[in-house]
Amino acid sequence: MRGAVFGSVQVPAVRRGAVAVLATASLLFSAACSSTDGTAGTKGRDGDASPSPRTGSASPAPATPSPGLPPAKGSVKVVSTLTEGLKSPWGLAALPGGDLLVASRDGATIRRIDGKSGKQTLLGSVPGVSPAGEGGLLGLAVSATYGADHLVYAYFTTESDNRIARMQYDEQRPAGQQLGAPDTILRGIPKGAIHNGGRIAFGPDRMLYAGTGETGDTGLAQDQESLAGKILRMTPDGEPVHGNPSADSVVYSYGHRNVQGLAWDGQKQLWASEFGQDTWDELNRIEPGRNYGWPDAEGRRGERGFVDPVAQWKTSEASPSGIAFAAGSVWMAGLRGERLWRIPLSGTADKEPLAAPQSFLEGKYGRLRTVVSAGGDKLWLVTSNTDGRGTPKPGDDRILLLEVG
């Protein structure tokens, strides 16, 4: 994966089941990924490593962007702290109406957060979760047809694998008992102490996407018969989608180290963030069936057969987890980097950002885990300081409401 230098930022299957043919499925997307570990090798970059100062010189940005494109320089305003006192928050999903669901990675619980008051309500625990290392209860997604089925999807680690299950959310039951029994739709995603991936999201085609990690076994990323080190695309029932690169596989793209961010832009293009090892973290534009290089390529390499990243960062400045699209830009949460990155897009087959990626909130709220659209120019941002890795920082973990531009 690859790119041109902007400051310190350089820009640029397991087989299962019969094919599920859906009339609404469309092949519109692309994405990429990276690992949660703080340094190189086998130690996870989710650890509390101190960020390094940014180095290098910025390339000049366009002085006057074209009409309708985001400006070269952006802005972030913290509107409010919605809630705090969260324990190891990881996945976040918005309900119709504006309330949020948040998953506790280590506690294996899901809570509802009132989108206005911040009041927390325990929905219940997810049985079978085995939290350890970078595994546990990870990504959450609300069904694309939630109004009809009230289904909540979760990606989590068990004692034997990572899997995706769905649960019915019954708001009429008492607090703590509102989640139905998990219905596993996909199992057998390899697990490890590190690099479990974990982000899930429904795309504009109403199909479910998942980012996975290679568990520290680098060869799995290039093994197209493995679900590790991939971006997966499946029906809401966990079946391969008509139009996937291989008709009987949920594998959508491969050669990923650890994908924890998935988002679609205004043109329904899929993007993914990915942890690198020693040198480069990545933001990738995902194209179906393409090879994103790991472990043969990390960052921009320009090698035949591999897709270069649209942007890349030193691992000390990012360690990216969640991403979201708002105000014409991809917004990327950094763990070790302890900052929020803005990557403005041109909106037409972006091979590099419209202007230099720009960072905000550096060191102000600690490690940043998840970012989710709150509609329009607003974002929800989740911190990740009290997840059992080192000494928790003052203030505990929280959800912030941001206004961005």
Side-chain angles (χ1 to χ4, degrees), residues 298-323:
E298 178 184 356
R300 180 178 171 83
R301 294 287 292 273
E303 294 185 13
R304 185 183 181 90
F306 299 144
V307 180
D308 280 342
V310 169
Q312 63 184 39
W313 293 260
K314 293 180 179 179
T315 56
S316 60
E317 295 173 351
S319 298
S321 190
I323 62 173

Side-chain angles (χ1 to χ4, degrees), residues 246-294:
S246 183
D248 60 349
S249 174
V250 296
V251 172
Y252 192 66
S253 64
Y254 67 105
H256 298 294
R257 187 169 183 263
N258 194 20
V259 177
Q260 289 192 6
L262 298 171
W264 288 262
D265 65 20
Q267 284 68 47
K268 302 181 181 179
Q269 169 64 52
L270 176 59
W271 297 83
S273 60
E274 181 168 348
F275 289 86
Q277 178 169 280
D278 300 309
T279 311
W280 298 115
D281 292 325
E282 302 174 355
L283 177 69
N284 287 292
R285 182 181 187 274
I286 300 306
E287 301 175 57
R290 300 299 296 275
N291 184 351
Y292 287 80
W294 181 255

Side-chain angles (χ1 to χ4, degrees), residues 46-48 87-89 105-106 133 367 384-392 397:
D46 263 352
D48 289 335
K87 178 185 176 184
S88 60
R105 187 194 67 185
D106 300 333
R367 292 151 41 84
S384 185
N385 297 310
T386 56
D387 62 355
R389 306 225 186 322
T391 303
D397 277 325

Side-chain angles (χ1 to χ4, degrees), residues 4-9 11 56-65 71-73 344 352-357:
V5 175
F6 285 133
S8 56
V9 180
V11 179
S57 57
S59 298
T64 307
K73 296 294 184 180
E352 62 182 38
L354 180 66

Side-chain angles (χ1 to χ4, degrees), residues 333-377:
L335 290 166
R336 185 182 173 200
E338 298 189 353
R339 66 199 82 178
L340 179 69
W341 285 98
R342 172 188 184 260
I343 306 95
L345 304 177
S346 69
T348 54
D350 305 80
K351 298 300 182 183
E352 62 182 38
L354 180 66
Q358 184 181 4
S359 66
F360 297 90
L361 308 178
E362 184 174 343
K364 188 170 184 180
Y365 295 99
R367 292 151 41 84
L368 307 181
R369 169 70 68 183
T370 298
V371 58
V372 168
S373 173
D377 61 353

